[in-house]
Amino acid sequence: MSRATSSLPRSAAAHAILILYTIIALFPVLVVVMNSFKARNAIFRAPLMPPTTTTFDTVGYTTVMAQGDFLLYFGNSLTVTVVSLFLVLLFGAMAAFALSEYRFRGNTLTGLYLALGIMIPIRLGTVAILQLMVASGLVNTLTALILVYTAQGLPLAIFILSEFMRTVSDDLKNAGRIDGLSEYRIFFRLVLPLVRPAMATVAVFTMIPIWNDLWFPLILAPSESTKTVTLGAQIFLGQFVTNWNAVLAALSLAILPVLVLYFIFSRQLIRGITSGAVK
Amino acid sequence: MTQAPAPARRPFRWHIPVLLAPAVLVYSAIMILPLFGTLQLSLFRNVEGVRTFVGLANFQTLFGDARWSASFWNALWNNTWFFIIHMVVQNPIGVALAALLSSPRLRFAAFYRTAIFIPTILSFVIVGFVWKLILSPLWGVAPNLLDLVGLKSLFTPWLGKEEYALTTLGLISVWQFVGIPMMLIYAALLSIPDEVIEAAELDGVTGWSQFWKIKLPLILPSIGIISILTFVGNFNAFDLIYSAQGALAGPNYSTDILGTFLYRTFFGFQLQSGDPYMGSTIASMMFVIILAGVCVYLFAVQTRLRRYQF
């Protein structure tokens, strides 16, 4: 095939740059996780050394386990993220299909209206959202968070998905129509499977801000039973700021589940991206 | 939108509203109505416990009152600098990484891609704290590292110095988010059909000139989208500064951006009590700024970008 595109020195240089950047990206995380397994003295004396048998200590983890209810927080975060993500993808794809497929009066206007939310951060409406949740009795429930995150994720999802849906061939859909498929079936059976790569991309960009959000859990659901991991970690870190063992252990515990989730998810994402390109 | 004359009255296409309804309803109720509620609140003020309509008086205070306007312009300038750092550091690095990653038959590409994206998935709370620990003079990770390359004398507590703190935070944010432009550009580069690349190679356009002359023009729309997403994200930023420097955005407000300024005004801090009306006023200004940026993008940038359909 194309020999011109690769040569040994060039690919060595590419690897060197990528390795360097990978180290930059991973180093801070590694340092924190490594030191969370060390005794207090060793943390300060040799922060760059991995734990050895003499310096190994899990006192930080025992402190964290004795204090916060991280398992509950993790469950809350997971519920909120998964449910919101599902709703964003479903509602977003439905609306994107309607906007990209049909010509009807008010199409452009609806599209613009829905796109407003890409540029306007939902946070600017926080007071009124809080009033709304108080009025409907949803304060300190996960439902409040799910509603807010669904609204927050929809605009970008609709925008990206409708761009992709315009690329789905008309012939295919018309063939479906001639075969007597209803518009709903065309959407669920023909179009949705074809835009799966785009859905994976949208899912990542929707999921990250939801999982990491601090603002809305703090305002809408700060009670003990509805705390998310991010909020729980923030409060814990604030309280234990001088206990380095506990802080490092808490940070490692907060990083770990996200990493696991990411590794499960990234394979899907990458398969999505590449299959979209091969098509 | 007059199409070909409709043969007979078409039956009402119920599926269109059905498909649109869930998204439009949730979005309107949770996002748009509260947003306008907040804009409306900026026209009111608490006068002896009663909500009173005061027109634009809150905006007059924000720009006329020396104390308020100093805070506002400080936050706005800091925010602009924060954005500039992202545009000149984050996006070029993201494009470069994506270009390297998409080179054909690169081994371990999946590993690099996965590893470089990791910081992006971490929450601001984690990132803020991790970097605070690493840059802390108390712990000594950063000075030790600089010592390895013989530059220990360069170390100062960057987050604690007025002149460095904001830039440091900007770079931390870049470190965290470089994965997003990388992934978007990477996907765009992969979607360039092989025929285009092969045609370029037959014409002898390879390597760097292939990237500049063939690939870059094709991914310009993606770069445009990334730029506007960065702009909106930066002018709405809050969490990182809050996690690393607290609501006071120290030292001496040198890292104060619009998000933290809004938060302090809104919920109060130390001795000053929160003021939802002035908070709404600042939120409205942020709204105007973001809207202006987006309009510039939509009307001046996007219309000039050529899109290629394969």
Side-chain angles (χ1 to χ4, degrees):
Chain A
M1 254 176 58
S2 49
R3 298 243 320 271
T5 45
S6 68
S7 62
L8 197 62
R10 183 174 294 144
S11 88
H15 278 289
I17 295 172
L18 287 168
I19 289 171
L20 180 73
Y21 199 85
T22 306
I23 293 172
I24 295 175
L26 295 186
F27 171 75
V29 178
L30 273 180
V31 168
V32 166
V33 174
M34 220 162 62
N35 281 284
S36 71
F37 289 104
K38 290 179 7 188
R40 190 179 165 82
N41 271 340
I43 292 176
F44 284 99
R45 214 175 317 115
L48 295 179
M49 299 304 268
T52 60
T53 39
T54 47
T55 58
F56 183 80
D57 199 334
T58 55
V59 64
Y61 288 92
T62 32
T63 316
V64 176
M65 286 311 182
Q67 290 297 324
D69 203 347
F70 275 89
L71 215 58
L72 172 74
Y73 303 160
F74 179 70
N76 287 338
S77 281
L78 199 64
T79 312
V80 169
T81 308
V82 170
V83 177
S84 318
L85 195 58
F86 174 78
L87 293 177
V88 167
L89 287 178
L90 179 69
F91 295 170
M94 284 162 64
F97 180 68
L99 290 176
S100 63
E101 178 63 15
Y102 308 112
R103 303 183 64 169
F104 57 91
R105 200 192 291 258
N107 182 319
T108 319
L109 209 64
T110 317
L112 280 177
Y113 173 70
L114 289 169
L116 271 177
I118 300 174
M119 40 184 166
I120 306 162
I122 192 167
R123 267 182 204 164
L124 299 183
T126 302
V127 206
I129 291 176
L130 184 59
Q131 284 171 354
L132 181 77
M133 294 304 170
V134 170
S136 50
L138 288 174
V139 170
N140 277 328
T141 62
L142 296 181
T143 315
L145 292 179
I146 290 170
L147 282 172
V148 168
Y149 293 141
T150 308
Q152 171 187 287
L154 275 172
L156 190 63
I158 294 173
F159 180 75
I160 294 179
L161 289 175
S162 54
E163 293 270 297
F164 272 84
M165 285 186 182
R166 284 199 187 99
T167 65
V168 174
S169 104
D170 280 334
D171 296 342
L172 186 71
K173 286 173 280 193
N174 288 335
R177 286 192 185 104
I178 291 166
D179 286 346
L181 292 187
S182 72
E183 295 297 324
Y184 301 111
R185 286 194 145 228
I186 286 173
F187 168 64
F188 282 108
R189 287 285 164 78
L190 293 183
V191 178
L192 266 196
L194 283 174
V195 294
R196 243 186 352 221
M199 301 273 272
T201 312
V202 170
V204 176
F205 295 131
T206 311
M207 188 181 84
I208 295 165
I210 296 178
W211 182 275
N212 291 339
D213 190 36
L214 178 65
W215 178 272
F216 283 113
L218 188 66
I219 291 162
L220 296 179
S223 76
E224 189 55 32
S225 62
T226 53
K227 264 186 203 142
T228 60
V229 165
T230 311
L231 178 58
Q234 211 266 342
I235 290 170
F236 182 88
L237 292 174
Q239 284 169 347
F240 283 76
V241 85
T242 52
N243 184 342
W244 284 62
N245 289 91
V247 164
L248 290 168
L251 283 171
S252 305
L253 281 179
I255 292 170
L256 206 68
V258 190
L259 276 190
V260 173
L261 209 71
Y262 169 63
F263 283 127
I264 298 169
F265 204 82
S266 75
R267 212 173 298 145
Q268 207 184 345
L269 165 79
I270 287 156
R271 206 191 308 136
I273 291 178
T274 38
S275 74
V278 171
K279 127 189 127 198
Chain B
M1 237 194 247
T2 47
Q3 299 167 339
R9 261 192 78 86
R10 247 195 306 197
F12 185 72
R13 296 174 292 172
W14 274 107
H15 48 269
I16 297 177
V18 169
L19 287 169
L20 280 171
V24 172
L25 285 180
V26 172
Y27 171 77
S28 306
I30 312 289
M31 189 150 182
I32 296 299
L33 292 179
L35 194 73
F36 280 99
T38 305
L39 290 181
Q40 197 191 352
L41 273 182
S42 70
L43 303 178
F44 289 83
R45 192 178 278 183
N46 190 343
V47 182
E48 287 156 14
V50 185
R51 181 192 285 193
T52 320
F53 182 79
V54 288
L56 294 175
N58 287 334
F59 291 90
Q60 253 162 21
T61 311
L62 186 63
F63 291 109
D65 185 293
R67 202 171 52 86
W68 279 105
S69 71
S71 302
F72 177 77
W73 292 114
N74 174 48
L76 184 60
W77 163 245
N78 287 342
N79 220 151
T80 311
W81 179 238
F82 199 66
F83 173 62
I84 293 173
I85 291 175
H86 281 78
M87 286 305 283
V88 300
V89 184
Q90 173 189 285
N91 294 347
I93 291 181
V95 173
L97 289 174
L100 287 177
L101 277 177
S102 70
S103 46
R105 275 173 289 129
L106 179 86
R107 301 180 69 190
F108 312 121
F111 166 74
Y112 294 131
R113 199 172 41 200
T114 312
I116 294 171
F117 202 66
I118 283 178
T120 310
I121 60 168
L122 301 177
S123 81
F124 299 96
V125 173
I126 296 172
V127 171
F129 248 86
V130 164
W131 279 99
K132 225 167 121 172
L133 298 186
I134 285 177
L135 296 178
S136 156
L138 221 72
W139 194 11
V141 172
N144 275 357
L145 276 180
L146 286 175
D147 204 15
L148 286 180
V149 285
L151 292 173
K152 196 173 184 177
S153 56
L154 281 184
F155 181 80
T156 54
W158 286 296
L159 283 174
K161 295 245 171 147
E162 271 184 52
E163 61 269 45
Y164 300 128
L166 183 67
T167 310
T168 310
L169 282 167
L171 291 174
I172 293 175
S173 176
V174 167
W175 172 81
Q176 182 178 13
F177 285 117
V178 85
I180 288 182
M182 183 188 79
M183 282 298 207
L184 282 176
I185 296 290
Y186 178 68
L189 283 172
L190 283 188
S191 72
I192 298 175
D194 288 341
E195 299 90 73
V196 175
I197 304 297
E198 277 163 21
E201 274 165 13
L202 285 178
D203 289 342
V205 184
T206 57
W208 271 114
S209 67
Q210 187 185 68
F211 178 77
W212 287 109
K213 288 180 183 155
I214 311 288
K215 292 179 177 169
L216 197 64
L218 290 172
I219 59 171
L220 270 184
S222 297
I223 294 180
I225 290 177
I226 289 165
S227 304
I228 191 64
L229 287 179
T230 309
F231 176 81
V232 174
N234 286 163
F235 277 85
N236 171 31
F238 162 80
D239 306 56
L240 179 67
I241 310 256
Y242 181 71
S243 314
Q245 308 287 56
L248 283 176
N252 191 22
Y253 299 114
S254 61
T255 56
D256 197 22
I257 58 173
L258 291 170
T260 45
F261 182 42
L262 164 66
Y263 179 86
R264 275 204 316 279
T265 311
F266 212 163
F267 291 98
F269 64 103
Q270 293 179 347
L271 295 176
Q272 185 183 320
S273 61
D275 181 348
Y277 303 103
M278 278 314 282
S280 304
T281 310
I282 295 167
S284 306
M285 281 316 298
M286 289 167 75
F287 175 77
V288 170
I289 291 165
I290 290 173
L291 202 66
V294 172
C295 288
V296 168
Y297 167 73
L298 284 181
F299 298 115
V301 181
Q302 203 199 27
T303 47
R304 285 184 203 164
L305 289 178
R306 246 190 282 169
R307 275 161 186 274
Y308 299 87
Q309 195 103 48
F310 300 120

